[in-house]
Amino acid sequence: SRKLKNVLFQSVKTIGEYAFAYCGFSEINLPEDIETIGDGAFQYSGLQSITIPSSIIKINDNCFGDCSELSSVVIPSSVTEIGSFAFASTPLTSVNLPGVQIIGISAFRKCNQLADVKLSEGLVTLGRGAFEECTALTEIDLPATLRGMMDGNPFSECYNIKKVICRAVTPAPQAADFSSFEYIFGGLNKTNVK
């Protein structure tokens, strides 16, 4: 309900799927010992910022997707996986992913204000369209640990990228086209990239 303005958690280990989707509150304090936040739990809510507790290992699919006011997120190093569409279509301006190993399909798709992304050394897999249409991105630093791009184009339509740092010494063995610029940055004119 858009009228729900505040939630107080006591002894909660799990927030169910879509539990607070479409709710109007702008902030919420998650308990430090929470273990699971279900798919779409806060999708389309009025959240403006969120701090993920260090007890969380995975941010599930659509968890904060389409939160049109969500401009700030703090993700601890305990989080190793970001699910599909987890933060899609939010106005995030920066994201630091210190322990993330897997970024799901379209996890940050259409985050048009996302200008700063810090991928961790330890990131192994980027999902298809993970940062698709993040038009504020101007540079990206791909860690040496990156080994897979699920079905390609994690940076498709990121037209303003001017600088790419690829720390991997060898391309990912399972993706023959991994080293192909077009595979990773579908639609970007590589003559503009240094």
Side-chain angles (χ1 to χ4, degrees):
S1 167
R2 286 282 177 201
K3 294 180 181 181
L4 181 63
K5 298 297 179 194
N6 193 5
V7 177
L8 177 62
F9 292 103
Q10 293 179 342
S11 304
V12 173
K13 297 290 184 189
T14 300
I15 295 176
E17 293 183 359
Y18 304 97
F20 298 104
Y22 295 95
C23 286
F25 50 77
S26 60
E27 63 181 278
I28 194 164
N29 292 315
L30 296 172
E32 287 300 317
D33 58 347
I34 193 164
E35 296 170 357
T36 306
I37 303 172
D39 290 357
F42 296 98
Q43 188 174 22
Y44 291 104
S45 73
L47 282 176
Q48 295 175 358
S49 66
I50 188 76
T51 298
I52 307 296
S54 60
S55 54
I56 296 292
I57 296 170
K58 178 182 180 185
I59 297 174
N60 284 317
D61 297 350
N62 298 305
C63 200
F64 300 99
D66 300 292
C67 291
S68 62
E69 304 296 319
L70 185 63
S71 60
S72 172
V73 63
V74 177
I75 300 173
S77 60
S78 62
V79 174
T80 59
E81 185 174 352
I82 307 281
S84 297
F85 297 93
F87 293 98
S89 299
T90 61
L92 291 172
T93 57
S94 68
V95 67
N96 184 7
L97 307 170
V100 175
Q101 298 171 14
I102 299 167
I103 299 176
I105 294 169
S106 298
F108 295 92
R109 183 175 188 259
K110 289 190 176 183
C111 290
N112 298 328
Q113 297 175 44
L114 188 59
D116 184 28
V117 174
K118 290 184 177 50
L119 302 173
S120 71
E121 198 59 47
L123 179 66
V124 177
T125 304
L126 269 176
R128 177 182 69 247
F131 294 95
E132 182 176 2
E133 296 182 58
C134 290
T135 53
L137 277 177
T138 58
E139 66 179 74
I140 195 73
D141 188 340
L142 301 172
T145 53
L146 187 59
R147 293 289 175 257
M149 309 258 189
M150 299 181 328
D151 301 325
N153 299 61
F155 298 97
S156 179
E157 299 181 47
C158 292
Y159 297 118
N160 294 311
I161 291 180
K162 303 289 186 232
K163 181 178 181 182
V164 176
I165 300 168
C166 185
R167 299 185 186 280
V169 177
T170 58
Q174 77 271 30
D177 289 335
F178 178 84
S179 60
S180 164
F181 189 89
E182 288 77 17
Y183 179 80
I184 300 170
F185 300 95
L188 183 64
N189 182 348
K190 66 181 170 183
T191 58
N192 294 335
V193 177
K194 306 233 184 284

